[in-house]
Amino acid sequence: MTSTSTGAPRRRRAGWLAVTVSATAIALLAAPYLTLDPDTFLEDQRTTYQAHLPALILHVGGAITALLLGPWQFLPRLRPRLPALHRWTGRVYLPAAAATGIGGLLLVPVGLYPPFAPAGFAVLAVLTLVSTATAFAVIRRGEVARHRIWMVRSYALIFTGVTFRLWLIALAGTGVSFELAYTTGAWAGWALNLLVAERLITRLRREG
């Protein structure tokens, strides 16, 4: 067995672990929003969130659930060994992803730093809804390979919750204003994730 053949599975496991840990960390950081305590809200959006609590609950609750469940959909050993668990996890993930997209769209009109930041999040919400709906539609037709591809895209968009915050952290010490970091992150967070997703999809297609 060559080092290349053993190294690839190790890299995949390391990547899966990194995604799972970071997604769990961000989900836990966002969870206090569901207490509806205004002190946990982003200061610049505190009044807005208080006035739109149903949309906030949909968006944050759906995102937390999808972030936590998503990685387990891609665990290779789970699908063949526990197919029922894989299916039920997916049945929770799909409406959760839809909820965060719908909640996001409802919050777009009152988003911070219009028009560019809300526009970025609007595109993210629409892409999330489209990719998740497509993943559901193709698995209903029994197209497992296509379902897997669209689930990769769906979770890449959900994972924007992680990359967006990493973007803000990375730019915080560079002298860039929070407004510019927030506005560019509203676009860069999901765009970078989709680029990575398409590279992964290309590899999946090569592997059959």
Side-chain angles (χ1 to χ4, degrees), residues 66-198:
L67 268 175
L68 290 173
L69 292 181
W72 301 97
Q73 287 293 101
F74 302 104
L75 194 62
R77 296 181 180 180
L78 182 64
R79 292 190 300 272
R81 292 185 179 181
L82 297 169
L85 179 59
H86 175 76
R87 286 193 296 271
W88 278 105
T89 302
R91 286 169 182 166
V92 177
Y93 171 89
L94 290 172
T100 195
I102 293 168
L105 282 177
L106 292 174
L107 291 171
V108 161
V110 292
L112 195 60
Y113 305 128
F116 298 110
F121 289 126
V123 175
L124 168 62
V126 170
L127 291 176
T128 300
L129 291 170
V130 169
S131 59
T132 304
T134 304
F136 174 72
V138 295
I139 197 61
R140 291 285 292 177
R141 296 197 296 265
E143 300 177 40
V144 176
R146 289 189 65 201
H147 171 71
R148 188 180 182 191
I149 286 170
W150 281 101
M151 281 294 290
V152 169
R153 290 176 178 140
S154 173
Y155 192 69
L157 293 161
I158 291 293
F159 199 72
T160 302
V162 176
T163 51
F164 175 68
R165 283 159 183 79
L166 292 177
W167 183 272
L168 295 181
I169 292 169
L171 294 185
T174 65
V176 172
S177 68
F178 180 76
E179 179 178 351
L180 181 57
Y182 189 96
T183 302
T184 55
W187 291 89
W190 59 263
L192 291 172
N193 286 4
L194 280 185
L195 286 174
V196 174
E198 291 307 316

